[in-house]
Structures are given as structure tokens and as C-alpha cells.
Amino acid sequence: MPVEAVPVAIVSIGDELLIGQTINTNAAWLGEQVDLDSCRVIKVISIGDKLPDILAALEDAGGKAGIVIVSGGLGPTADDITKPAICQFFDTFMSLHEATLTRVESLFARRGMSLTDRNRAQAMVPHSAQILPNEKGTAPGLWLQREGVHYFFLPGVPFEMQSLYLNEIRPLLNKMYPGKRSFHTHYLVHGVGESMLADRLRGFEASLPPNISLAYLPSPGLVRLRLSMRQFSNAKDELGFEDFALKLKALCAEDLVGEGTDNLEQVVGVLLREAGMSVAVAESCTGGMVSQLLTSVAGASDYFLGSVVAYHNSAKIKLLGVDPAVIATHGAVSREVAGQMAEGIRELYGSDYGLASTGIAGPGGGSAEKPVGTVFLAFASAKGLQVTQFRFGDERWRNIRCSAQMLLDMLRRDLMRFK
Ligand code: ATP
């Protein structure tokens, strides 16, 4: 028999979440983790620090869920009213939890700080709650049950909430609901838009059984595909999933950058290292983003030699050897200048590859012939020079990001021949 995923509701408490002062990263993080634990988030509720609202949210969340995870408002300040709400909802009262008091006292002693009444109040907890020790802070997590629904209360501070989930709640869930209920794999695709990709994968999607689904998670220039299987019971099902995963990879073909949590810069780094090749970058419109992406990967000095941010024409001429007459004739944003920049940086650093970007990121500077978003990306290697013109869009940040990613992807595609 297939195992049904356990329905989970997430409740986030805090006025700051409602006015956009704090982004509700806790709900996003919990959603992802809960899914890994073979549960299924059916509802996310955000509410302010008001007792009646908290009571109503707990009632609502417990209506269809087997598990409710609440974060926020457990602290010692006046607006932290989750504990009084718990007492009312679970018909219990506050009492001192000695072990928590000892832990808070030793935490403060270790930090050389004196304990205030407010800090001591962290050890006052709803009497019928089971305590989940908080290794990262003072407010413990709480676990209560009502009408067969498990309620977990966690502090709002993200790293405290995360540590409590991983160290306390995850082991409990695995014990309460053994067996796998869902499975996901992710594939990163570059160079084909979401709708074109959806056209390519239409037949594949139509062939999926009801318990396997495909989701598109697009970001500028990239699409992350998530293939999920829910409600399965045996190894044969898992093998079936593997078959679909292989088919999907084959359909993505050379547009497939990587799997799981891979990103473009990591994949390019691995390929460069494996091929024993090096790269240098001349950046105009990308303003350093290609270099930033490359160096965000540890150990990038194995293959990234350096870059020049040649924003002004004088830098292109002086540092990269671009011919001023070429700039005068074709303009700084041109096929010719991009090519000379790529060859110039390759020569300057003596690298195997030389990459270059020049473009009109916007919002100003466009013309009828070269509108905002026009970008020339160049790629020089022992094989010769390749310059490609792109038109990404009207937004500056998008043009910069898409140009940087495209350059890395041009490099990735060339490096694939060494695999
Ligand atoms: P503590 O006693 O450790 O302060 P608490 O339960 O009282 O915990 P809150 O006062 O609600 O926590 O929030 C503490 C911090 O965590 C605040 O900076 C808040 O903005 C942040 N925070 C709270 N809820 C969330 C959330 N859902 N997503 C991201 N950050 C959050």
C-alpha cells in the first residue's frame, strides 16, 4: 500500500512579518525540510502578535493537519505572547522548568553575563508541554498535542528554529512516521526559456504516472526542474522513478548544467579543473559579476587567473589593448570590441580561455540600432574567437546577471568536449 504524506500546517507569528519588515524565511525553510521528511505542507498562515489571532490560527491549522509547526513569539519581550496563547488553547498553566533554568543560567555564566528576570522567564513554560532543548538560544521548543494533532512551537530566530527542527523534530517525525513518502531530484537548465523547455518536455510530462510530477522553478536565464514522486511503497517504484529521471536528463541534453544543488559556477569550476584549463575575464557590462561568480567557489584559484573590469574606454584600450580606431568605428558595445577584449585578456593573463562582456545594461544608453539589453559576449581560446550578440531585456540587473551566466555557460559548453 502506498504511504500517504502526513499533512502539515505552518504558522508564523510576528507583526514584523505582516508589514514586510522581516521576510518569512522560516516558512520557506520549513516547507522545504518538511517535504524532505515525507510530510506535505497543506497550509502556511502568517499572523501578528495578537492573542485572539494566534488562537484562531492554531484552531484553523489543526483542522486538516496532523502536525502544526509554529514559529515566533516565544521570547521574553512584551509582544511575545505565544506562551499565554498556548496555555489558553491547551487548557494548561505556566510552570517552572528546572532543567531549562539551569541551562539558561549556565549559558549566561559562560558568556559572563548576569541573568535578568526576563531571561529567567524563559524557563517558565506551559505545564503540559514536552520540552525540546534549544542548543542555540534561551527559549526552548515546545511539543503539545490536542485532538490527535501534534503542535510544535519554535522560537522565531531562524538559526534557533532550524537547529530545533533538525535536532529535535526531524528525529521525532522519523520515529512517528517511519518509511519514505516522497522523493525529489533537481536539474538545472541554462540556455532555453521556461516555455520552450515546457514544449520540449510536453510528451514526457504527459507520460508521467499520477504519483510523479514535474515542476518548473525559473530564475533569470536559468530553469530548475524538480521531478517528484509521492506515495510510493517499494523499491520497484524507486526504479521506475530512476527511469523517468534518466529520460528527463536525456531530453535536457546539452542544456543540462547539473543536478541536485549544482550551480553554473561550480559546474564550470569542476570542468576547468578536470580539463586542467584556466580562464581570465574582461568585464565591461558585467562589472565584475563573472569574477564574483567564479570566485564564490572555494579553490577557484586552481583555474581562475584574474580579470579586468574595463568599464571606461580608456581601460579597454590601456589594459586590454583594444584599438581606439575600432571603438571609434564600431562603438564600445560591438562585436569587434568584445572580440578584442577577449583576446586581450587571454594574452594579458596567458590563460587557456579569455571571456569578455560589453553591452548596454540600461536604463539609458540605448539606440534604435543597439537598444538597451544589447550585449556582445566573446570567448577566445586556442580554437579561435567566438562572439555572440544577445538581447536580454530592459532591466539593468537582469542584463548583468544574464550576461554573466551566459558567459559561464558558453565556457561550460566548450569544456564538455573534454568529458
Ligand atoms: P527569542 O526568544 O529567541 O527571541 P522568539 O520566539 O521571541 O525567540 P521572535 O521575537 O518572534 O522570536 O523573533 C526573533 C527574531 O527572529 C526577529 O528578528 C524576527 O524578525 C525573526 N523572525 C521571526 N519570525 C521569523 C520568520 N518567520 N522568518 C524569518 N525571521 C523571523
Side-chain angles (χ1 to χ4, degrees), residues 10-17 21-30 46 49 70-77 79-83 122 134 136-140 153-162:
I10 294 171
V11 179
S12 308
I13 302 177
D15 286 342
E16 73 277 17
L17 302 172
Q21 203 174 40
T22 299
I23 296 174
N24 192 351
T25 55
N26 283 357
W29 188 89
L30 280 168
S46 294
D49 301 294
V70 186
S71 78
L74 283 184
T77 53
D79 61 353
D80 291 324
I81 52 164
T82 301
K83 287 198 282 197
Q122 297 281 44
N134 178 357
K136 307 276 180 192
T138 51
F153 294 86
L154 306 176
V157 182
F159 73 90
E160 294 184 30
M161 182 281 297
Q162 292 173 12

Side-chain angles (χ1 to χ4, degrees), residues 103-338:
R103 220 178 41 75
V104 174
E105 280 171 346
S106 66
L107 191 86
F108 273 71
R110 273 207 309 276
R111 291 179 188 166
M113 288 155 65
S114 51
L115 206 61
T116 65
D117 284 347
R118 251 189 222 292
N119 304 130
R120 244 176 236 113
Q122 297 281 44
M124 294 296 290
V125 298
H127 187 70
S128 57
Q130 293 189 60
I131 303 302
L132 310 172
N134 178 357
E135 297 298 329
K136 307 276 180 192
T138 51
L142 307 168
W143 173 22
L144 297 103
Q145 287 165 58
R146 198 179 100 159
E147 292 161 12
V149 181
H150 295 274
Y151 288 79
F152 294 101
F153 294 86
L154 306 176
V157 182
F159 73 90
E160 294 184 30
M161 182 281 297
Q162 292 173 12
S163 142
L164 271 160
Y165 184 86
L166 296 175
N167 298 321
E168 298 294 330
I169 299 183
R170 171 160 290 163
L172 274 171
L173 292 182
N174 288 339
K175 226 185 274 168
M176 287 196 284
Y177 310 105
K180 261 189 193 167
R181 289 169 187 82
S182 70
F183 197 84
H184 303 288
T185 54
H186 292 87
Y187 300 101
L188 186 65
V189 175
H190 186 274
V192 49
E194 188 189 2
S195 48
M196 269 173 70
L197 189 59
D199 282 346
R200 194 192 293 178
L201 301 179
R202 187 177 296 149
F204 171 78
E205 283 191 77
S207 73
L208 292 174
N211 66 336
I212 298 185
S213 60
L214 182 69
Y216 295 76
L217 314 168
S219 59
L222 290 159
V223 181
R224 206 172 274 281
L225 294 170
R226 187 185 63 217
L227 189 67
S228 309
M229 179 164 68
R230 297 193 179 279
Q231 298 178 24
F232 63 99
S233 42
N234 53 43
K236 206 170 123 255
D237 282 345
E238 278 193 59
L239 286 177
F241 182 80
E242 275 303 304
D243 281 348
F244 283 109
L246 287 174
K247 270 185 210 151
L248 179 58
K249 277 168 67 170
L251 285 165
C252 293
E254 69 275 10
D255 298 320
L256 179 71
V257 174
E259 297 181 31
T261 55
D262 282 350
N263 62 37
L264 202 44
E265 47 277 22
Q266 282 167 346
V267 169
V268 165
V270 169
L271 290 172
L272 279 167
R273 188 180 282 113
E274 281 175 5
M277 308 283 257
S278 61
V279 65
V281 193
E283 306 204 46
S284 185
C285 68
T286 47
M289 185 176 258
V290 181
S291 312
Q292 191 270 321
L293 288 171
L294 284 167
T295 54
S296 68
V297 181
S301 59
D302 289 351
Y303 46 82
F304 175 56
L305 302 190
S307 65
V308 168
V309 178
Y311 213 61
H312 196 271
N313 286 348
S314 60
K316 294 183 180 75
I317 295 163
K318 226 191 265 170
L319 303 172
L320 300 170
V322 174
D323 182 353
V326 169
I327 298 182
T329 312
H330 300 282
V333 177
S334 62
R335 188 174 290 280
E336 291 74 13
V337 168

